[in-house]
Amino acid sequence: MGDVTFLSQREPVDEYGRALYAVARSIIRAQLDQLTNDDLADLNCDRIEVTMRQLSKVARLERDKGMRGDGFEWAVHEAVLGKEPTTLDLLATALARTSPRLFKGASEPTSLLFGYERAKYLGFLDAVVENAGDEAVLLPDGSGRPFAFGPWVTVAAEGKLAEPRLPERVQQVWKTDLFLSNAESLKYAATTIKSNWRQLEPGRGLRIGIVPEARDLPPGVRYDTKLRMWIAAFPDPNGFMGLFNDAYAAVAAAVCTLGKHERPPYYLKPTAKGQRLQAQIEKYPTAKVIDIEGALNEAAQQNLVGVEHKLVSVEAPPWLHMNEKRTAVIAPRPSFEPLD
């Protein structure tokens, strides 16, 4: 099954340095948990034996992919399915603004998780189309007759390569993360989700963008004329998303160094404390990831972050057998100094 990890705030931020350790700990743990059996076979070791350098070689840290991007998508999707009031109110407003005639007065939005990368999993795409219903339609750009949902979403699942075969008014609908509707309608609005609003991209057929609030983007619903979509900015209590992005940037920078990856230009530079965190992680390339996690836990605000794992309901590929030979590794015990 497709295993997705997302992180959520459980307690108020008490002390920035300790909170930064707490988030970094959970990010690293999530990356370790998301190693596939193929990854472990390539690394020739069990999960508990993986070192920080090994994890860095195979970590999936591309922009808006892996744990960071999937985490926020799943958090929104789960909030809709769980009928979380503040989430429903915000998205109901966004839907009503998108199409007042179709969604005016809708109080309980519904969500279909999409993401063309997930469509490669056997059965996932079929489940999306089936859950939408035979009579479901997709709202295109502008006004006019909507498109049949199943046939065009099936094409969109091929990603950017499908653009030439999609109608002009839904040409970028392959960028969709969620399809939003409500219980009374079978009409779906394509929605894109980013953990940083500056990474939102326009696209024909995309009607709503969901992001957390930022310093230059207050919470609420507003229309962006440049992106040509309605933006739903989720409230960010205690600045957790900013803290998360700082920790993620620090971990990503350390992973790029230890894994000898070329650092992508779109990564934000960590703050001064984030850079100190990065430097300390880089000191322990041969340490086991679980030992680094333990050291971070000792230095962290321990109950700040909750880690949950969700399985995309698909048919799992066959598991690979592990090689019996193991390589002995001698490494220092990690220890992290206070950042405050």
Side-chain angles (χ1 to χ4, degrees), residues 93-213:
T93 301
L95 280 170
R97 302 277 179 84
T98 300
S99 180
R101 183 176 63 85
L102 295 176
F103 299 119
K104 185 177 181 180
S107 58
E108 289 193 359
T110 59
S111 170
L112 288 177
L113 188 67
F114 183 58
Y116 77 93
E117 287 191 331
R118 300 184 184 95
K120 65 185 178 182
Y121 294 117
L122 182 62
F124 180 81
L125 181 60
D126 292 339
V128 172
V129 174
E130 182 178 347
N131 288 338
D134 295 336
E135 299 179 8
V137 294
L138 178 64
L139 299 179
D141 262 15
S143 59
R145 188 178 182 85
F147 294 97
F149 185 88
W152 293 118
V153 169
T154 302
V155 175
E158 297 177 23
K160 186 174 177 59
L161 294 176
E163 276 192 23
R165 294 159 46 213
L166 288 168
E168 183 180 357
R169 292 165 64 206
V170 291
Q171 205 155 41
Q172 281 81 44
V173 78
W174 60 270
K175 297 180 180 181
T176 301
D177 296 308
L178 298 180
F179 289 106
L180 294 179
S181 185
N182 63 55
E184 296 79 32
S185 175
L186 289 175
K187 296 176 174 62
Y188 288 89
T191 302
T192 178
I193 299 179
K194 300 294 183 186
S195 54
N196 183 336
W197 80 271
R198 292 182 176 279
Q199 294 171 356
L200 282 172
E201 298 175 352
R204 300 298 301 271
L206 297 177
R207 305 297 293 270
I208 298 174
I210 297 177
V211 293
E213 74 167 286

